[in-house]
Amino acid sequence: MFSEPASGHARFKNKADITALLGAFCFFLSTIEYMIPKPLPFMRLGIANLPILLAVGLLPFKWYLLLALVKVVGMSVISGSLFSYIAIFSLAGTLIAAVAMWIAHRLGGRLITSVGVSIAGAITSNLVQIIIARVIVFGDAATLIAPLFIGMGLITGTALGLFAEKFTLSSRWFAAAREASRE
Amino acid sequence: MNKVSRPEDKNSGSREDVPAIQRLKADAAEARMRRKEFYASLFPANELALTGLFLSVAFLFQKSLPAKSVMLAFFIGASWFAGRKFSLLATLIVAGTIIAANLLVPFGKVLYQTGPFIVTEGALLDGVDKAVTFEGLMYLSKSSILPSLKIPGAFGAVVARSFLYYDRIVENRVKIRPATLLADADALMLDIWDSVTVQTSQEITKTGSFPEVHGMRLTDSRLDESNTEKVYRLSPQGRLLGLGIPALGAFLLLFFLR
């Protein structure tokens, strides 16, 4: 999987490394998100999706989807929630958001900024999570929390998109990673 | 003349209690870590996960609510034994939210009514069942998934490398301030990128600097199959349990699916 270097200090900055580093930041941001008080226990701000948003313009689709899976599986192992409903929420929300952001980025081209891409991901992720909540936890009452969820998605999606927009323009790491991903 | 109290006098009544509370907390944390280590040394991670998988199916298909509740109590106990954090308040809040949400759509016999709020038997039982299932799967998962779980294949290798980077992020001393958020985040990414990628997996093996997740060491077998260091050495009894517990899980699965 990893391109092993000939000498001990040679670097192996390839797509696997970029994926792994962004995956680690997903874990880190998930840990921070876990510490932020929320009005409802199921509500997620979605800040852990920021590395996936950055990866839209960085990784090929295969590695991009792998990053989404690394985020879900890694966080489930750390928190021990791999066999719980939480993992189902996380898997569905993350994968659908990743695919929606990829499609928005590809179809929108230069017409759509990171803010638009991020909002597309946040809204689709929240919609899918409401549908799952309706089926397995809350029943029909899930529709009552839908406006709150969608509203939160809009706010956090915009904030994350603004951050990603500025970060991709100014970051030295992002520029270096983009170079490495082209090799 | 009024006596002017010194700032420390204000807290003099509780000052003696603070170290005692802190000591209790520290003792509890230490005891939890001991349980965590003992649990990890007792069960092989992959076999335990397999057992958890079998049990989760058995639990999901259990139709009797009392039996399901007994299983939930057992899973909470197992989770405590595994050294996982347990908060009764958080558990009750989550369960209460699920039950309350289900009560909003009434069906079945009316048990209680005040104003527009109606508690019906069907909605209550449905809500309790969903809450027990939700919490049960959560605690079963917490007791059957160890951080040392080895995910096989190429995907497992990427996850392992992510854990390595995550360890560096947690250890990193770069301060992130709101005023310089973008620059600080960039500096952190560059720092982590450089600190890890200069080391090959062989160097990591030599220095022994394996990543730790929640205080538990990951083995380098996540990175390279040829350089395996067992952090948790299993006793012969542990190996027997490793064979026995998935078999027990499979038996329970068949029993409940009859």
Side-chain angles (χ1 to χ4, degrees):
Chain A
M1 173 60 67
F2 299 108
S3 52
E4 289 293 331
S7 69
H9 283 278
R11 299 176 183 194
F12 39 100
K13 289 173 179 174
N14 53 23
K15 293 179 189 76
D17 265 327
I18 296 167
T19 307
L21 180 60
L22 289 170
F25 271 93
C26 287
F27 303 165
F28 180 62
L29 293 171
S30 289
T31 312
I32 290 176
E33 180 157 349
Y34 178 76
M35 291 186 281
I36 299 170
K38 290 173 277 287
L40 282 170
F42 307 96
M43 193 167 267
R44 293 278 181 274
L45 294 175
I47 57 170
N49 283 334
L50 179 63
I52 297 175
L53 176 60
L54 292 174
V56 167
L58 206 57
L59 293 170
F61 189 64
K62 188 184 97 175
W63 287 99
Y64 176 75
L65 271 188
L66 193 79
L67 169 64
L69 279 175
V70 166
K71 180 207 163 199
V72 174
V73 173
M75 273 317 297
S76 299
V77 170
I78 290 175
S79 64
S81 61
L82 192 62
F83 297 144
S84 71
Y85 284 154
I86 300 283
I88 297 173
F89 278 89
S90 180
L91 180 70
T94 302
L95 283 184
I96 202 78
V99 172
M101 288 195 287
W102 183 267
I103 292 170
H105 178 71
R106 293 288 146 181
L107 291 182
R110 290 181 185 277
L111 296 173
I112 190 165
T113 64
S114 293
V115 179
V117 173
S118 175
I119 289 173
I123 299 287
T124 47
S125 168
N126 286 4
L127 275 174
V128 165
Q129 292 195 43
I130 289 164
I131 292 166
I132 293 173
R134 188 179 187 279
V135 174
I136 61 176
V137 189
F138 287 140
D140 289 340
T143 47
L144 297 173
I145 56 166
L148 185 67
F149 259 67
I150 304 292
M152 281 291 290
L154 202 61
I155 295 165
T156 56
T158 307
L160 288 182
L162 284 170
F163 180 88
E165 187 72 22
K166 287 187 176 177
F167 187 79
T168 50
L169 289 174
S170 65
S171 168
R172 287 173 298 150
W173 175 83
F174 189 82
R178 186 145 54 189
E179 282 300 311
S181 70
R182 282 178 187 150
E183 287 167 9
Chain B
M1 198 163 109
N2 290 336
K3 186 187 172 190
V4 178
S5 61
R6 287 178 300 176
E8 59 267 31
D9 288 343
K10 288 177 186 171
N11 300 324
S12 57
S14 61
R15 202 169 33 176
E16 283 179 15
D17 297 338
V18 173
I21 292 167
Q22 282 176 347
R23 213 168 36 242
L24 276 173
K25 278 185 179 175
D27 287 349
E30 199 180 310
R32 196 165 66 82
M33 281 311 294
R34 274 202 303 271
R35 287 199 305 274
K36 194 180 242 183
E37 284 173 15
F38 179 67
Y39 193 84
S41 68
L42 200 59
F43 301 115
N46 285 29
E47 283 85 344
L48 188 64
L50 193 63
T51 308
L53 189 64
F54 283 135
L55 282 177
S56 65
V57 178
F59 181 70
L60 269 176
F61 285 92
Q62 173 57 257
K63 286 191 172 69
S64 160
L65 185 57
K68 222 172 191 176
S69 305
V70 171
M71 288 175 90
L72 167 64
F74 174 76
F75 295 152
I76 290 175
S79 170
W80 177 87
F81 184 52
R84 292 283 187 177
K85 276 184 182 169
F86 171 70
S87 164
L88 182 64
L89 183 67
T91 305
L92 290 177
I93 288 173
V94 171
T97 310
I98 294 170
I99 294 167
N102 279 275
L103 285 177
L104 293 175
V105 185
F107 70 93
K109 188 179 154 191
V110 176
L111 298 175
Y112 176 77
Q113 183 167 12
T114 175
F117 185 67
I118 306 166
V119 177
T120 53
E121 191 180 19
L124 181 66
L125 285 175
D126 203 32
V128 171
D129 186 58
K130 281 175 179 168
V132 169
T133 307
F134 188 93
E135 297 288 5
L137 285 176
M138 192 69 219
Y139 284 108
L140 168 63
S141 191
K142 278 177 183 284
S143 55
S144 59
I145 300 294
L146 298 177
S148 52
L149 177 68
K150 191 181 151 195
I151 299 162
F155 175 69
V158 179
V159 174
R161 183 144 287 264
S162 284
F163 277 123
L164 187 67
Y165 281 126
Y166 175 68
D167 184 54
R168 294 295 189 277
I169 294 168
V170 174
E171 281 176 357
N172 200 281
R173 294 282 176 263
V174 172
K175 282 185 180 169
I176 296 184
R177 288 152 295 204
T180 51
L181 184 64
L182 284 168
D184 291 345
D186 191 34
L188 178 64
M189 296 288 266
L190 280 170
D191 197 47
I192 302 301
W193 177 264
D194 285 337
S195 72
V196 176
T197 52
V198 291
Q199 289 183 299
T200 65
S201 56
Q202 284 82 6
E203 282 179 296
I204 293 163
T205 309
K206 279 177 197 165
T207 56
S209 58
F210 298 109
E212 277 188 22
V213 178
H214 287 209
M216 302 184 82
R217 284 220 297 182
L218 297 168
T219 69
D220 63 333
S221 58
R222 285 170 175 274
L223 297 172
D224 186 346
E225 288 289 347
S226 62
N227 296 319
T228 305
E229 184 206 51
K230 293 285 180 196
V231 175
Y232 298 112
R233 294 188 191 285
L234 286 170
S235 61
Q237 293 92 328
R239 292 191 187 283
L240 260 179
L241 274 170
L243 291 171
I245 49 179
L248 177 68
F251 171 76
L252 285 171
L253 174 64
L254 290 171
F255 179 78
F256 285 117
L257 288 181
R258 278 184 311 158

